[in-house]
Amino acid sequence: MDLNIVWYILVGVLLTGYAVLDGFDLGVGTLHLFVKKDEHRRLLLNSIGPVWDGNEVWLVTGGGALFAAFPEAYATVFSGLYLAFMLLLCALIFRAVAIEFRSKEPWGWWRKLWDTAFSLGSFVSALLIGVAMGNMVIGLPLTADHEYAGTFLSLLNPYALVVGITTVLLFVMHGAIYLAMKNDGELHDIIVGWIPRLIGFFITAYVVLNMLTLVYVPHVLKTVQSRPWILAIVLFGVLIVMNIPREIHKGRRFNAFLSSCFGMIAMMATFGATSFPYMVYSNPNPENSLTIYNAASTDKTLGIMLIIALIGVPIVLAYTACIYWIFRGKTRLTGHSY
């Protein structure tokens, strides 16, 4: 295994960590307006309050790793999708500001304003992440110089929008299971009542997405035919997602949350396995694609950066583990809560 493959896996692990951890944050935010009582909305905010900013460290780390290891892919994606990434950044900023400002004043209009900003910011972030993933699956139109040749509107194609909607439903389901695990009383009962329907919505969207992928993304189908072991990952993902309603029915919220996490890991692993060795697949001209070799830094850079990653990633893991351990247990409102 050469350094290019090691970095392909490492970038994938970091972005998967972001999807799993910030996924439930975004799901909780999307659900925020569906609870009406001020106390319940504060409980939703405080369920993710101690961890949401730490979860976004994984996105920063993943972006940094992509920049260091595959600068050509970083430049192509971030310049070509500049407007989309600016929208994502604004949504994440509005969401973060809303968390901090929302409970600073008792005025009704003030709290409704920031509640709306928090929920819309979370929804738009989840949707754009999914749309970006969808475009990476079907491929971007690249020139021979590896420049993006499309427009912002061409990113909003039907397939990418279906991936975006599926991502929103996945994050909402993931967030609802997290909320059921972190809360009790009336709010817990409300959330648990939502979960079966959310699972049904997600599974329906997931099935539709896979059927569309088989029909409209032929290069993915060819890759699966040449690498049949990918089907084992897909099967694992399907089985682990199907286990979620079983765990919910038996009242095992933590097991349901773990199943949701492993389901997301399986989906990201499927994406990585079907994309390899492409960093950015060029559609309709595959010869213009960026791979882990023509988009990579030099071997010397990859080697030095790997040493830095071997020092930095355990720190991120230790920080994440400490935060979740310190703030384990049910959410309670105090004078210092959001």
Side-chain angles (χ1 to χ4, degrees), residues 6-117:
V6 170
W7 272 100
Y8 182 78
I9 295 172
L10 184 57
V11 170
V13 168
L14 292 170
L15 295 180
T16 300
Y18 172 72
V20 170
L21 294 176
D22 212 34
F24 70 76
D25 280 6
L26 298 173
V28 170
T30 305
L31 288 170
H32 189 72
L33 293 180
F34 289 90
V35 294
K36 302 302 179 187
K37 291 184 178 179
D38 184 72
E39 178 190 356
H40 289 170
R41 290 185 175 181
R42 291 188 66 202
L43 283 168
L44 259 64
L45 284 173
N46 285 280
S47 295
I48 63 169
V51 298
W52 70 268
D53 49 354
N55 293 341
E56 294 191 352
V57 168
W58 288 79
L59 178 62
V60 176
T61 310
L66 181 65
F67 172 73
F70 304 106
E72 187 86 14
Y74 180 93
T76 297
V77 171
F78 278 75
S79 60
L81 281 61
Y82 185 78
L83 185 55
F85 278 113
M86 286 300 103
L87 283 174
L88 174 61
L89 186 60
C90 288
L92 290 174
I93 289 173
F94 262 92
R95 183 173 170 272
V97 172
I99 292 173
E100 297 295 334
F101 280 22
R102 191 261 178 198
S103 300
K104 296 293 185 187
E105 299 293 348
W107 310 321
W109 66 268
W110 174 271
R111 294 194 171 189
K112 286 179 182 176
L113 172 69
W114 293 114
D115 283 341
T116 304

Side-chain angles (χ1 to χ4, degrees), residues 281-298:
Y281 182 80
S282 176
N283 187 6
N285 301 303
E287 65 277 11
N288 295 338
S289 299
L290 286 164
T291 70
I292 62 170
Y293 295 103
N294 66 6
S297 298
T298 63

